[in-house]
Amino acid sequence: KILGDKKSIKITNFNDLDLIKNFTTMKMKNYITKVGIGYDIHKLKKNNKICKNTKYLKLGGVNTIKSYSLLGHSDADVILHSLTDSIYGALNFGDIGQHFPPSEKKWKNYDSSHFLKHAVKELYLRDGRILHIDIVVITEIPKISTYSYQIRKNISRLIDINESKISIKGKSNEGIGAIGRKEGIAVFTNSTLSIRELDDC
Ligand code: ZN
């Protein structure tokens, strides 16, 4: 005897379409849309002497310029940190500092793509997916539009989503304040996720 699956419905008559509709809404009912916000800022330091082994300033995992460095415990990738926190935010799962405390030596100079992958893994464990990512980078240097294509491509590769779901915009601070004086780079990120709601209450 071969056991069938009640969900395997044969569509013969027009009325059979109603059955399918019921199954689709049943499945969709458990999914809701959540938006998380992430923010990060790191100090910029001017490199007066550029040597062969001077590291590139990394943004979104992409090498940009050598004339300035971002200071931080890990690789100081301010875009990846902000993006990671936005996903944790939508999951209500703390923040990057909680999962990877700067007090721990092992995260020193760590590649921030691992932090991002951790957040995405937590999302997949909850049967979720990313609908859209919107990133705003506030800085005077480097010019974000020069690297935005590469950054989108790299993030798309890191978390395996289509580039069309990743938006990245650079904003100058019009010379105002610390960011205007090229003392730092700040990033805001909104991540929109579709996630299964476990508790109906
Ligand atoms: Zn950071």
Side-chain angles (χ1 to χ4, degrees), residues 23 28 40 53 57-58 83 102 113 129 133 141 148 156 187:
F23 280 119
M28 296 298 288
D40 198 27
N53 52 2
L57 189 160
K58 248 166 100 176
L83 169 57
S113 63
R129 65 192 173 100
I133 288 168
I141 43 144
S148 58
S156 143
V187 180

Side-chain angles (χ1 to χ4, degrees), residues 3-167:
L3 293 174
D5 185 341
K6 280 186 184 167
K7 280 182 278 180
S8 303
I9 313 159
K10 194 166 134 259
I11 308 294
T12 318
N13 302 313
F14 205 85
N15 291 346
D16 294 338
L17 289 170
D18 284 340
L19 287 168
I20 287 205
K21 219 164 41 186
N22 285 343
F23 280 119
T24 345
T25 41
M26 252 168 68
K27 212 178 158 201
M28 296 298 288
K29 229 178 184 173
N30 295 330
Y31 284 89
I32 56 161
T33 305
K34 286 197 174 186
V35 178
I37 184 165
Y39 168 76
D40 198 27
I41 187 164
H42 280 261
K43 266 188 186 172
L44 270 176
K45 182 183 80 94
K46 189 167 172 49
N47 296 321
N48 294 318
K49 218 172 128 193
I50 300 164
C51 315
K52 215 177 166 188
N53 52 2
T54 303
K55 284 187 180 162
Y56 281 100
L57 189 160
K58 248 166 100 176
L59 287 174
V62 169
N63 287 336
T64 62
I65 52 173
K66 279 190 170 185
S67 50
Y68 280 82
S69 297
L70 278 176
L71 305 181
H73 187 69
S74 63
D75 65 1
D77 194 322
V78 66
I79 291 184
L80 293 189
H81 292 180
S82 164
L83 169 57
T84 304
D85 260 358
S86 69
I87 297 169
Y88 284 141
L91 294 175
N92 203 353
F93 195 58
D95 65 18
I96 206 167
Q98 203 176 314
H99 301 292
F100 305 96
S103 52
E104 279 183 34
K105 271 189 188 160
K106 61 178 165 183
W107 310 126
K108 192 156 172 58
N109 300 323
Y110 205 68
D111 182 343
S112 296
S113 63
H114 294 284
F115 306 150
L116 176 62
K117 284 180 179 175
H118 175 262
V120 172
K121 200 179 108 194
E122 291 299 329
L123 168 70
Y124 291 158
L125 285 174
R126 289 160 178 75
D127 209 7
R129 65 192 173 100
I130 295 169
L131 299 177
H132 193 73
I133 288 168
D134 192 10
I135 303 169
V136 184
V137 186
I138 307 156
T139 189
E140 305 295 326
I141 43 144
K143 201 167 169 46
I144 296 304
S145 57
T146 311
Y147 303 96
S148 58
Y149 175 74
Q150 280 170 274
I151 296 171
R152 286 174 64 218
K153 237 182 147 49
N154 190 50
I155 294 172
S156 143
R157 182 186 61 84
L158 285 174
I159 56 177
D160 198 22
I161 63 165
N162 196 286
E163 286 156 52
S164 63
K165 293 179 176 175
I166 306 162
S167 143

